[in-house]
Amino acid sequence: RRPSACAPRSSRRPGPAPADSAHAWRGPETLQTAQRNASLAADPQGGLWLIFGADNEPALYVRRFDAASGQWGAAQLLARAAENAAADGPRLAFGPDGTMHAVWAEYGFPAGWPPLGLYYARSADGGLSWSPPFRFAGEGYNQPNVLAGPGQTVTLAWAAAAGFRLKNKYAQRSADGGTTWAAAVSFDALPGSSGVPGLALDSAGNAHLVYADNGCVWHAAFEREWSAVECVSGQRDPAPLIENPAVAISRGNRLYVLYWTDKQQLWQVTETLPVPAILPRPTTEVRAPPTALPAAPVVTDPPVATLVAPLLSPTPPPSPSAGAPVQNRRPLPAAPGLTLFIGILPVLVLLAAIFIVRARR
């Protein structure tokens, strides 16, 4: 995909003040003109980080949002892209010790194609300085992702771009915080990237990978080695186009996978992993009693996908043909006042006629 600029907004819409609630949002604000595929990550101290490729120069930057002050810090340079290239599609992850791990793709500029390579860099001082970029994949690969933890473990995942006859998804791991890397592992797949491969970590420290390919969302887990891939999308009517899978793990053992079908429907698959659950932290905050919800069922094999969003552009039902009877249609009930008026109308007409006849006499 060709990197493109996000047009800055000249005004800010008012919004509710920030609060400890998912329903309180403040209005949008212009941060930086950037390539379109920026992303966010949270650090262990609760700070929010933005990583983005600059639109007006071949460079990659990070910015931190301080929740206490409600302010964004200045942009910090992460890396310069190669000559005649643009950095885009960046992802950022934080290790348990706060080390920052970044990945990104570089594309030929100004056309925005082809993908020229994938890069990794790390920072141990809060983004002030970064290691020299490590090129972990060459031309024809895009859509990288990164996962940090447990300990010093770092996991990378990426995809082959369409049109390069590269038929695999890939993963690569480091056990020493990104200093050295094991050999990359490939997962058989058809050509085409189909979205950034998703990565998540469970309570036992196992990495989980999901990617879309050949009408299915595939899942693999790393414990001591990568497991065999398994199709986890179980919608009843498989779509010819499945893409953009996203994965998250709640309470350490609840795996959630979202994905698109035909760019129109959003599906969810949920599965309980065979690892310990993490109980939510106790809080002393006084809140309204929560509404009781039924317990989520444990998904059996194969899991069944749940439709989250219906068709975005549903086709309206066809109109009945002219002259054809319309079945199973009830007339709309008349209003009570209208019904009474219709009932006494003959009486009123008769009285009016009598009055006119007598008036003429």
Side-chain angles (χ1 to χ4, degrees):
R1 292 181 294 177
R2 176 178 178 177
S4 61
C6 294
R9 301 180 67 93
S10 58
S11 62
R12 292 175 58 183
R13 293 185 298 172
D20 189 19
S21 168
H23 299 284
W25 296 86
R26 68 182 193 181
E29 57 184 299
T30 299
L31 295 178
Q32 192 86 27
T33 56
Q35 302 293 350
R36 62 184 176 185
N37 292 314
S39 64
L40 296 168
D43 63 30
Q45 291 73 40
L48 183 65
W49 289 78
L50 172 69
I51 181 171
F52 60 94
D55 181 56
N56 56 356
E57 60 177 320
L60 192 69
Y61 288 89
V62 292
R63 291 186 69 176
R64 185 180 189 271
F65 178 79
D66 184 18
S69 64
Q71 300 295 322
W72 285 93
Q76 302 169 210
L77 178 66
L78 192 160
R80 296 281 181 187
E83 186 178 359
N84 297 324
D88 198 17
R91 293 295 180 105
L92 186 64
F94 287 84
D97 61 355
T99 300
M100 304 171 70
H101 304 271
V103 293
W104 68 96
E106 293 188 2
Y107 297 87
F109 190 81
W113 200 258
L116 303 177
L118 304 181
Y119 295 85
Y120 161 87
R122 68 184 186 278
S123 173
D125 56 8
L128 297 177
S129 62
W130 293 82
S131 64
F134 161 58
R135 190 171 187 253
F136 61 90
E139 182 176 346
Y141 297 97
N142 65 353
Q143 298 185 328
N145 203 355
V146 58
L147 175 70
Q152 295 295 307
T153 303
V154 183
T155 304
L156 308 179
W158 65 97
F164 285 86
R165 299 181 181 179
L166 303 170
K167 300 182 178 182
N168 295 307
K169 302 294 188 294
Y170 289 84
Q172 191 169 16
R173 287 170 63 87
S174 170
D176 54 10
T179 303
T180 61
W181 295 88
V185 175
S186 63
F187 300 87
D188 289 336
L190 296 175
S193 49
S194 302
V196 179
L199 290 170
L201 199 66
D202 67 25
S203 62
N206 304 316
H208 294 262
L209 168 72
V210 297
Y211 63 89
D213 172 62
N214 196 25
C216 188
V217 176
W218 300 89
H219 166 262
F222 187 95
E223 187 173 352
R224 295 181 178 85
E225 60 182 3
W226 287 104
S227 66
V229 295
E230 174 191 11
C231 179
V232 295
S233 54
Q235 69 278 10
R236 296 179 180 177
D237 299 317
L241 178 62
I242 293 182
E243 58 185 352
N244 295 323
V247 62
I249 295 179
S250 172
R251 298 194 178 185
N253 71 342
R254 290 288 290 171
L255 181 74
Y256 296 87
V257 178
L258 291 175
Y259 58 94
W260 284 104
T261 56
D262 295 328
K263 299 183 183 296
Q264 296 186 83
Q265 292 177 314
L266 184 64
W267 295 82
Q268 172 187 292
V269 173
T270 306
E271 185 174 0
T272 300
L273 303 172
V275 296
I278 299 175
L279 298 179
R281 295 179 180 177
T283 178
T284 57
E285 182 180 355
V286 178
R287 296 185 179 181
T291 303
L293 296 176
V298 177
V299 179
T300 57
D301 186 23
V304 177
T306 302
L307 181 62
V308 177
L311 287 172
L312 299 182
S313 300
T315 303
S319 301
S321 58
V326 180
Q327 302 295 330
N328 300 324
R329 299 261 321 257
R330 293 183 180 181
L332 294 175
L338 179 61
T339 303
L340 178 62
F341 176 76
I342 294 174
I344 66 175
L345 181 61
V347 179
L348 295 176
V349 173
L350 178 61
L351 291 176
I354 295 174
F355 176 79
I356 293 172
V357 172
R358 289 181 177 179
R360 288 181 176 179
R361 291 179 181 177

